[in-house]
Amino acid sequence: MDIGCLETVVANSAYVAARGSMDANAAQTMRDRKMRAKLKLPNISQCEHLKDQIELGFQSLCIKQPIGKRLFQQFLDDTEEFRPIVNLWKDAEDYNMAEENLRVQKAQRIINTYMESASKNFCSFLEEKAIMRVKEDAKNGHHDLFKESEQLLIAHLGRQALERYKESLFFLRFLQFKWLEAQTVTEEWFMDFRVLGKGGFGEVFASQMKATGKMYANKRLNKKRLKKRNGYEGAIVEKRILAKVHSRFIVLLAYAFQTKTDLCLVMTIMNGGDLRFHIYDVDLQNPGFSEERAAFYTAQIICGLEHLHQNRIIYRDLKPENVLLDDAGHVRLSDMGLAVELQEGQSKTKGYAGTPGFMAPELLKGDEYDWCVDYFTLGVTLYEMIAAKGPFRTRGEKVENKEVTRRILHDPATYSEKFSVCLKALCEGLLMKDPLKRLGFKNDNCSELKQQPWFKKMNWGRLEGGLLDPPFVPDARTVYAKDIDDVGAFSTIKGVVIDEADKEFYAEFASGNMPIPWQEEMIETGVFGELNTWGAKGSIPKDLCR
Ligand code: ADP
Ligand code: MG
Ligand code: MG
């Protein structure tokens, strides 16, 4: 065995062992005790001033932020008059997550407990009409059966409970967590494992947050390489967009920080490799996916695109290589480096961006365009999942970009017998050369696309909740990344000097912890539970005494 190969074997085994530590209990054993000890809540006198700095709107404070929601629910549970309400809230969430065959029974229990005026837990704020509708529909087990009740419940709590919550110890505890969240992270909080892939400006490593044990992907962007190759704009756009989106179908940004040499984006780790690898490199004799498998990935990609477009973001670089699998086999979109955000009031943009063979005709022609371009790239991606080749090339063909562009503009795609009738119709709808005729995002959603006959069997509600079993589960001991040697090194950058303006840019980039992912990490790895302790009944914990 040569040294390079040995290096890969050693790196792989450390990485596979760390990867096994994804669930909370195992993550605990992987933690670095010294770093974990640094995660301590401050005394309330140190952080009380934060209440004048943080956002105090009900949605942000009590619903969107995971720790905020936990503490708000604990407050409700601790206050007698709110207890039935928080129980209804939790039961309705439990219903949404439940398997379909359990739902009817759960629905009936919720009705009996909270929706009958004789019950001691009756929730009188629910409007009669809403209760009637739930009772009528209870037998069909729909995933949005309690949607209206939940909306009424949230509105009621916003009116009745928010102000009292803000006077409570639970809110002070929240301020302590906000203080901890705002502490700057630096590279000493992370341990890099093996390299997962190579990007344009640096490598992406598997990386562990030492204090919690959680694994992430750390995308390093080399400062000098960025400067030399005008990468600042792209880097800040990628960061801003990743920080803005919250979807289980898009990689999520948890931390942005800098080291002496690099800017670092710490994101959801996707251990299962990219779709390109799975299309071509798993079964060399028989590349491509079954329609069923392709439908699952396509549906998840559509959910990711829908979220981007609802946030006015055009992705521009959808292709199999940028769709990554996680441990369970769910996929997320990654690599937002070419994405662009339409400003309020702006409806189109211009500019050549994307990957040859994928770019939409209107973009290639230099016209103005909007999100429609992403449904063309979706068509190319779906076609490739089935045919194991792009619609505008023959397999193995060496062809100039100019010729590919000509074909995209003028030639129709052809479909082998691998495509069923419904699938062919869908591909044709996505590959429409005229963006106005193309399937896609209309009236702020993708409903029309989701209702295409090819998706007849898809349960979109369960898919969107992350509740469908993926058609393929990556092997937990396989490393779906190139051997270390094959990743390839970067050349050294000479003649670049970093000045004050650069440093200002780095500071803007390195904004630290992203609140929602940070809070999720604390909960998921058990750290929140360890820190959120209370004194004996009736006594105020020492750290909350001013
Ligand atoms: P660039 O924008 O420079 O192309 P990418 O974001 O595509 O960089 O990352 C480069 C490579 O690193 C990817 O092709 C993939 O192999 C790997 N990679 C990127 N993000 C992740 C992630 N979140 N999890 C696992 N691997 C990743
Ligand atoms: Mg890339
Ligand atoms: Mg990129």
Side-chain angles (χ1 to χ4, degrees), residues 166-195:
K166 286 199 269 186
E167 301 296 319
S168 75
L169 294 177
F170 296 93
F171 178 67
L172 296 182
R173 177 53 56 80
F174 182 65
L175 295 179
Q176 292 177 304
F177 276 103
K178 287 306 276 184
W179 180 91
L180 193 57
E181 175 191 297
Q183 301 309 296
T184 38
V185 293
T186 52
E187 63 186 318
E188 66 160 341
W189 287 84
F190 293 90
M191 173 153 83
D192 280 351
F193 284 78
R194 69 157 286 166
V195 58

Side-chain angles (χ1 to χ4, degrees), residues 84 86-95 102-116 119-122 134-135 138-139 145-146:
V86 70
N87 287 336
L88 168 59
W89 189 3
K90 289 181 186 165
D91 286 349
E93 285 183 340
D94 171 61
Y95 169 91
L102 298 175
R103 279 191 179 161
V104 174
Q105 198 188 345
K106 283 182 187 280
Q108 200 49 55
R109 208 187 66 82
I110 291 177
I111 292 172
N112 295 344
T113 313
Y114 309 101
M115 300 187 172
E116 300 291 357
S119 163
K120 70 176 188 326
N121 292 312
F122 178 60
V134 168
K135 286 181 179 171
K139 289 242 151 30
L145 181 64
F146 294 107

Side-chain angles (χ1 to χ4, degrees), residues 198-200 219 317 319 321-322 334-335:
K198 188 179 168 189
K219 179 169 176 173
D317 206 16
K319 53 180 170 177
E321 203 183 312
N322 281 341
S334 80
D335 196 353

Side-chain angles (χ1 to χ4, degrees), residues 118 160 361 374:
Q160 301 296 322
D374 288 336

Side-chain angles (χ1 to χ4, degrees), residues 19-33:
R19 211 168 95 179
S21 66
M22 298 295 276
D23 72 273
N25 292 333
Q28 239 169 35
T29 64
M30 293 292 296
R31 282 184 202 162
D32 175 329
R33 292 223 172 107

